[in-house]
Amino acid sequence: MRGTGKEAPFVGRDRELRQVKELFHATADERRARLVSIVGLAGIGKSRLAWEFEKYIDGLAADVLWHRGRCLSYGEGVTYWALAEMVRRRCEIVEGENQATTATKLRATLDKYMPDAEEQRWVEPRLGHLLGLEENIAPERVNLFAAWRIFFERIAEQTPTVMVFEEMQWADAGLVDFIEYLLEWSGRHPIYVLTLARPEFGDRHPGWGSAKRSFNSLYLEPLNAGAMDELLGGLVPGLPEDIRARIRDRAEGIPLYAVETVRMMLDRGTLRREGNRYTLTGPVGDLDVPDTLHALIAARLDALPPAERGLLQNAAVLGQSFSTERLGALAQSSEGSLDGLLESLMRKEFLAVQADPQSPERGQYTFLQALVQKVAYDTLSKRERKARHLEVARHLEATWARDADEIVEVVASHYLDAYRAEPGDADASEIRESARRLLVRAGQRAGSLAATGEAERYFVQASELTEDPVTGAELRERAGEMAWRGGAAVTATAHYEAAISLFERAGLRHPAARVSARLGEVMFFEGRLQEAVDRMEASFAVLSGDPPDGDLAALAAQLARFHYFLGHRERGAERVELALDIAESVDQPETLAQAMITKGIFLGIRGRHEEAMALLDHALRYALNRDIGAAALRAYFNLTDRLTRSGRVDAAIAQASEGVALARRLGDRFWECSLLANMLYPLYIVGRWDEALQRAAEMPDLERLGSQRTILSAAGLSGLIHVNRGDLDAARRLLEASAEMETSPDVQDRSNHIAMRAALRHAEGRFAEALEDGSAAFTWVAEIGGNEGVDEGIIAALEAAFSLDDTATVKELIEQAHALRRVDTSTYLRAHLTRFEARLAARQNDDDAEAGFARATEAFRELGAAFGLGLTLLELGAWLAERRREDEAAVRWDEAGGIFGALSAKPWRERLERTVAGTSLSLAQPSA
Ligand SMILES: Nc1ncnc2c1ncn2[C@@H]1O[C@H](COP(=O)(O)OP(=O)(O)OP(=O)(O)O)[C@@H](O)[C@H]1O
Ligand SMILES: [Mg+2]
């Protein structure tokens, strides 16, 4: 947005501009996303720098797609406004355009950038929602963010893309999150993000960009005296030296101050504009200008004819940019036509018209400086503000809100400002009610855009504007839901507690119980498991006395899940049945999907593998078809486990890979890592060890996962690969990284950690310790049933007992393992047990050994479990060789040698070589 006047020559920012250009080229060349955060005081030249850069980009031979969006300063920002503006620009949609043409233009743009029809179908409603088109969208943040991100990625795949976010000091928290998200997930795309902000932005977002490689920050210092002189000299040639020095000294390096002083001289007639240059009309005399930027601007406003000043004041209420139509809706003073006044204000460089044909604001007027808008607004009395805000709000509501929700936040903020200006007026309660109504809608909209922080704030504001305790309670409940969805447990708890006590005081038991259940959920994830479940059960008792509804279904489903974690199988199974009964009849897809998964888990731990799998599989399809991301990911996760344990290891890996892909599309780190971790053990079993280590490396820094200990512990099992490859240091490092798991209250965490330690101790020759660690598996299984930690613990214990030549312990361990319920053992563990029995038989010179080894070989082959097979063949070969059946032994050993070679299981290959060396045989050399 440039004015009509003469632009000061661009001075003193060569280094900064060069840096911005270089980083852009690096972004385009390396095809890596990057952010440059430009920070500086009002009027220091942030927008100008961006504009110089834009001119440079325009001049490049190569195509670059430019996007610009400005955050609005209403209230605490309007959710994602700047982003929506960029999307509009790309689609050439004008602000306020009707729904039909908006939809058509969006479709046309998607056709251009998103050839994949399926992807387009997925992205379209989510982008539409951002533009105020679609209403019924699943408000999962991951879903929306992913769609918006993919849109820009596809654009960037065709052409390097620039996104300039202006006035970030007014950004809503949702936008800030989105920008960080975009940078993190679109890292491999040439997307160049510039953010322009005043320093207060940093105070509000202290963690902004910290610790990101793709982040650069550029702080604009005041211009030095030389540059200021150059600026003034260029702007007003012939300006006397002493005047120039005075302006320069007062400006303290803020170019806007210098520019505004020149404009003031223009207003006063000391300067005249002739075409594109300013000339002095005579001696300047005493330069009487206020010494702060604010006061300077205020003085300029003050000197304007009343009609012009009045127009600017009205415009200031409307916002930084406005249409003549909206301006006309505000009562005008009779003097002068609107057009004439606007014309004059443009000449005086207060306003400019948006002429950029791609801008969604094209044709609108804009304050040339945001600061002028603010100063003009500040000159209004409270009464004047109230009247104007009210008029604007009513006008907007009458003209916009009919078909679009995207400015409901703006309208709400006008009502709120009108109310706050004069809360004691007779009509205040009516205005307050309008404000409350609009704030609720603003909350709904923000919530549906997954901007939970904003939504929470709107609901709280709305609750403060009502005198009815029940309405207040409902609004606090909604605020609590939003806070919790945004992960703010403490705030959510406070809202819920407030809502509960309001409901209780009004004697409303059902809603009080509903909120209490929500509070229970917060407590559960805060680690207060038992207390949470008790609270939720108490709510359950109340709610189940009323006709069944969605509240009860959701509560029952959640309770079922929590009971499972606490090991209350029967109670959990009972709750899940009820959840399923209701969810299906009141049509609650999310509850239904989650309940099906939970039921699948319960069936699984009862040993009903097939049914469990059928249910999990269906829950997965169901959730995928309805776009319920969280449920789909949870289904993938549980299916992977189930498939691995029942011996369908390749299928497990395939499911986990699909899940990882979905998690990545949705931008969900938690599930991405959980699924990656879940995939390591199956990959280990089938001998795809390189792939497993590669997958483990794809997990982001384990540190960043913070409390996600389960992921950490599952990842730890990949240490088995290091152990069996003889890289004991790597295994030790992994063990150390997850040292806290040793004392975790979660048995699952402990079991994985200790099982891996057992394997390491064995490899180190510390057999007694390995035996002790591994034997603990039998206590774990009593607590949580079978899992991979239990399997590996038992395997390590048996290996150790053999190494110790402790036949009695071997026997005992085998017996203990056989005593386990079948559901607690996996196909893989059973194959190993068959192998150990054969070894025991061999040790006791029992002829059953051969058949046993054969059965184990068979079992491992069927599983595709290369490493287990290699071990069995090695042992069977030794048994055969002892019986002088060398030819038969040779075949086994050759195969084992091939397997160990392919796995790079060096210690095992060496052990095989030593075994063979004791005979007259030699090993086939692995083919090169
Ligand atoms: N390096 C420069 N050389 C010449 N003129 C400049 C320079 N930097 C800024 N200006 C001029 O100073 C005025 C204010 O600059 P600009 O609008 O870029 O400030 P800003 O930092 O974006 O302020 P705000 O925080 O209010 O958005 C503009 O008229 C601009 O052209
Ligand atoms: Mg600016």
Side-chain angles (χ1 to χ4, degrees):
M1 165 60 33
R2 312 316 310 170
T4 53
K6 177 171 160 46
E7 208 49 72
F10 186 62
V11 298
R13 298 268 187 240
D14 294 348
R15 188 180 55 83
E16 288 85 352
L17 183 59
R18 190 166 0 100
Q19 205 173 337
V20 170
K21 289 178 192 170
E22 279 170 7
L23 289 169
F24 165 75
H25 287 295
T27 303
D29 296 346
E30 296 163 10
R31 302 190 69 76
R32 258 188 46 203
R34 180 179 270 104
L35 182 142
V36 181
S37 164
I38 299 173
V39 179
L41 299 169
I44 198 82
K46 303 177 291 296
S47 301
R48 179 68 186 261
L49 183 64
W51 183 53
E52 295 295 330
F53 175 57
E54 185 177 357
K55 285 194 290 186
Y56 169 78
I57 292 286
D58 278 347
L60 292 179
D63 265 351
V64 176
L65 286 172
W66 183 272
H67 304 83
R68 172 187 174 276
R70 185 166 47 82
C71 304
L72 300 187
S73 66
Y74 302 103
E76 288 176 50
V78 176
T79 313
Y80 307 121
W81 183 269
L83 183 68
E85 213 179 27
M86 293 184 182
V87 176
R88 284 198 197 97
R89 165 179 284 258
R90 187 77 288 124
C91 304
E92 298 180 18
I93 295 166
V94 188
E95 225 174 78
E97 189 155 339
N98 71 43
Q99 301 225 322
T101 59
T102 300
T104 314
K105 289 179 177 178
L106 174 62
R107 168 72 54 83
T109 308
L110 292 178
D111 281 342
K112 182 164 170 197
Y113 293 104
M114 298 195 132
D116 182 321
E118 196 183 321
E119 188 173 74
Q120 194 186 112
R121 261 199 306 284
W122 190 73
V123 167
E124 187 176 342
R126 290 169 179 80
L127 269 181
H129 190 41
L130 179 65
L131 302 180
L133 288 180
E134 306 269 340
E135 288 309 321
N136 298 318
I137 291 289
E140 284 185 337
R141 169 168 281 195
V142 289
N143 246 301
L144 291 166
F145 275 21
W148 304 341
R149 157 176 70 90
I150 288 167
F151 175 66
F152 284 102
E153 284 182 0
R154 295 295 165 266
I155 292 175
E157 273 158 22
Q158 299 192 3
T159 318
T161 294
V162 180
M163 299 170 87
V164 182
F165 293 91
E166 286 211 59
E167 320 277 20
M168 279 294 283
Q169 67 275 6
W170 295 318
D172 50 295
L175 181 70
V176 175
D177 287 349
F178 176 74
I179 295 175
E180 293 200 311
Y181 165 92
L182 179 73
L183 241 62
E184 180 173 350
W185 286 91
S186 304
R188 306 249 160 100
H189 291 79
I191 298 179
Y192 190 51
V193 181
L194 290 182
T195 59
L196 315 188
R198 298 194 188 146
E200 57 262 35
F201 176 76
D203 304 337
R204 282 216 286 146
H205 304 278
W208 173 244
S210 58
K212 279 204 193 66
R213 266 183 305 146
S214 51
F215 182 94
N216 303 266
S217 75
L218 200 58
Y219 188 85
L220 296 189
E221 301 286 350
L223 291 178
N224 63 32
M228 288 298 277
D229 280 342
E230 204 186 321
L231 185 157
L232 282 161
L235 198 54
V236 190
L239 193 65
E241 176 58 35
D242 60 322
I243 301 284
R244 188 167 67 193
R246 259 148 65 203
I247 300 176
R248 177 238 292 147
D249 291 346
R250 287 205 185 158
E252 293 177 329
I254 310 280
L256 180 60
Y257 185 94
V259 171
E260 284 293 324
T261 306
V262 170
R263 285 172 181 157
M264 182 170 219
M265 291 164 74
L266 194 71
D267 296 346
R268 288 176 178 169
T270 333
L271 279 182
R272 198 175 47 232
R273 207 172 81 202
E274 278 171 5
N276 218 10
R277 44 182 290 133
Y278 296 121
T279 51
L280 288 166
T281 54
V284 178
D286 193 24
L287 181 77
D288 173 28
V289 272
D291 45 55
T292 69
L293 196 46
H294 271 76
L296 174 56
I297 292 170
R300 281 191 68 213
L301 289 170
D302 217 34
L304 285 176
E308 289 182 13
R309 189 172 58 243
L311 188 153
L312 286 183
Q313 287 172 321
N314 283 351
V317 173
L318 287 168
Q320 206 194 325
S321 63
F322 52 91
S323 63
T324 43
E325 187 241 321
R326 276 195 223 168
L327 191 63
L330 284 171
Q332 287 297 312
S333 75
S334 49
E335 306 159 50
S337 75
L338 203 53
D339 286 347
L341 295 173
L342 287 166
E343 187 59 36
S344 167
L345 288 165
M346 291 219 295
R347 216 170 30 243
K348 292 175 183 166
E349 299 183 2
F350 283 100
L351 300 178
V353 72
Q354 179 56 268
D356 178 351
Q358 283 196 332
S359 167
E361 293 180 340
R362 55 187 173 264
Q364 291 193 20
Y365 288 85
T366 311
F367 279 92
L368 254 184
Q369 291 299 148
L371 208 53
V372 175
Q373 182 211 349
K374 169 151 191 351
V375 177
Y377 183 85
D378 289 345
T379 60
L380 287 166
S381 71
K382 285 190 169 174
R383 184 147 302 281
E384 289 167 328
R385 283 182 204 172
K386 173 185 161 185
R388 285 172 176 76
H389 278 301
L390 207 53
E391 273 177 78
V392 181
R394 289 187 176 143
H395 172 72
L396 288 178
E397 221 186 339
T399 54
W400 272 68
R402 259 199 314 273
D403 54 354
D405 232 16
E406 73 218 82
I407 58 159
V408 38
E409 290 166 77
V410 174
V411 184
S413 131
H414 281 298
Y415 274 125
L416 196 58
D417 287 340
Y419 169 69
R420 284 180 178 159
E422 295 286 357
D425 280 3
D427 60 352
S429 72
E430 186 199 323
I431 301 174
R432 191 184 57 203
E433 182 49 27
S434 297
R436 192 195 61 76
R437 181 170 49 80
L438 267 297
L439 284 167
V440 170
R441 274 182 61 191
Q444 274 163 346
R445 167 158 171 84
S448 77
L449 284 164
T452 51
E454 280 74 13
E456 181 208 338
R457 190 163 39 74
Y458 287 126
F459 287 130
V460 171
Q461 282 180 346
S463 77
E464 287 163 354
L465 294 181
T466 179
E467 276 164 4
D468 169 33
V470 177
T471 309
E474 281 163 2
L475 290 168
R476 289 301 286 273
E477 178 183 1
R478 294 175 80 170
E481 269 177 84
M482 291 300 128
W484 179 230
R485 245 171 58 196
V490 178
T491 326
T493 303
H495 289 316
Y496 285 151
E497 279 171 351
I500 293 170
S501 78
L502 285 166
F503 278 132
E504 278 173 353
R505 256 181 283 152
L508 296 171
R509 264 163 47 97
H510 186 108
R514 174 185 67 218
V515 184
S516 178
R518 294 189 190 283
L519 180 55
E521 184 175 326
V522 179
M523 291 160 74
F524 188 89
F525 286 105
E526 290 291 280
R528 294 149 70 184
L529 317 196
Q530 190 59 54
E531 199 185 336
V533 168
D534 291 347
R535 175 179 275 273
M536 292 167 78
E537 279 294 341
S539 296
F540 183 82
V542 174
L543 295 186
S544 54
D546 294 336
D549 61 0
D551 293 339
L552 183 61
L555 173 57
Q558 199 60 296
L559 266 172
R561 213 176 147 188
F562 295 170
H563 280 305
Y564 163 73
F565 286 125
L566 289 176
H568 307 156
R569 295 185 187 185
E570 266 166 45
R571 179 54 66 82
E574 198 182 305
R575 293 285 173 266
V576 85
E577 289 303 326
L578 182 72
L580 288 166
D581 276 342
I582 311 171
E584 195 121 27
S585 69
V586 300
D587 190 24
Q588 280 208 327
E590 163 113 48
T591 302
L592 183 55
Q594 295 284 10
M596 284 195 282
I597 298 169
T598 308
K599 180 166 181 178
I601 297 172
F602 277 120
L603 288 172
I605 56 178
R606 284 173 63 184
R608 288 157 67 171
H609 281 298
E610 294 303 324
E611 264 177 286
M613 216 107 69
L615 203 50
L616 289 171
D617 203 54
H618 181 69
L620 174 63
R621 303 294 138 211
Y622 179 86
L624 286 176
N625 286 337
R626 282 165 191 74
D627 253 335
I628 312 172
L633 292 164
R634 184 170 165 238
Y636 274 123
F637 185 85
N638 285 291
L639 261 178
T640 307
D641 259 355
R642 200 84 347 258
L643 286 165
T644 305
R645 296 193 65 70
S646 61
R648 275 169 269 179
V649 189
D650 286 322
I653 296 168
Q655 290 287 346
S657 309
E658 267 181 42
V660 168
L662 177 66
R664 286 184 175 159
R665 187 155 63 85
L666 296 179
D668 187 315
R669 277 282 183 240
F670 172 78
W671 284 114
E672 182 201 15
C673 293
S674 301
L675 283 155
L676 279 172
N678 232 22
M679 170 167 196
L680 302 181
Y681 191 61
L683 284 170
Y684 167 72
I685 292 180
V686 295
R688 287 154 67 178
W689 290 5
D690 288 331
E691 199 180 330
L693 294 182
Q694 194 186 320
R695 287 300 207 165
E698 285 173 29
M699 298 181 36
D701 294 354
L702 291 178
E703 257 165 58
R704 282 194 35 211
L705 296 174
S707 59
Q708 307 305 345
R709 311 154 60 105
T710 314
I711 300 177
L712 201 69
S713 80
L717 274 180
S718 61
L720 293 172
I721 297 173
H722 299 309
V723 168
N724 289 313
R725 282 184 164 174
D727 187 353
L728 301 190
D729 279 340
R732 284 183 199 113
R733 276 197 301 275
L734 209 58
L735 204 60
E736 245 161 61
S738 62
E740 55 179 308
M741 294 298 139
E742 193 184 335
T743 53
S744 166
D746 184 334
V747 193
Q748 199 152 316
D749 293 348
R750 246 184 301 143
S751 65
N752 286 346
H753 180 82
I754 297 176
M756 140 109 147
R757 188 171 67 192
L760 176 62
R761 293 289 174 259
H762 187 262
E764 291 170 334
R766 294 155 72 174
F767 303 134
E769 288 164 70
L771 177 60
E772 194 190 327
D773 274 348
S775 310
F778 293 103
T779 63
W780 306 328
V781 79
E783 286 185 65
I784 46 158
N787 71 5
E788 59 234 45
V790 169
D791 289 358
E792 288 299 328
I794 295 174
I795 294 167
L798 274 158
E799 291 287 359
F802 273 109
S803 299
L804 288 164
D805 274 330
D806 183 349
T807 310
T809 304
V810 169
K811 276 189 190 155
E812 200 182 309
L813 288 169
I814 291 179
E815 261 167 44
Q816 266 182 293
H818 276 307
L820 294 177
R821 300 178 319 152
R822 189 177 160 87
V823 302
D824 288 330
T825 62
S826 67
T827 313
Y828 181 64
L829 176 63
R830 289 195 294 272
H832 272 291
L833 288 175
T834 308
R835 170 171 79 89
F836 286 123
E837 279 169 320
R839 265 174 89 177
L840 179 64
R843 185 173 285 259
Q844 294 171 332
N845 264 325
D846 185 334
D847 281 340
D848 286 350
E850 184 172 6
F853 280 126
R855 275 200 310 277
T857 315
E858 194 72 7
F860 283 123
R861 276 195 209 283
E862 210 166 294
L863 264 171
F867 182 56
L869 178 60
L871 295 179
T872 316
L873 292 169
L874 164 65
E875 289 155 2
L876 173 57
W879 186 86
L880 292 167
E882 269 170 36
R883 279 155 192 78
R884 320 237 117 253
R885 290 160 63 182
E886 264 109 358
D887 290 351
E888 290 166 79
V891 181
R892 271 46 177 220
W893 280 344
D894 281 345
E895 189 180 353
I899 290 173
F900 293 144
L903 292 175
S904 309
K906 224 172 97 206
W908 293 100
R909 169 94 199 171
E910 284 164 8
R911 175 188 294 202
L912 176 64
E913 277 160 7
R914 283 197 304 275
T915 314
V916 177
T919 68
S920 59
L921 295 169
S922 64
L923 267 185
Q925 282 311 306
S927 46

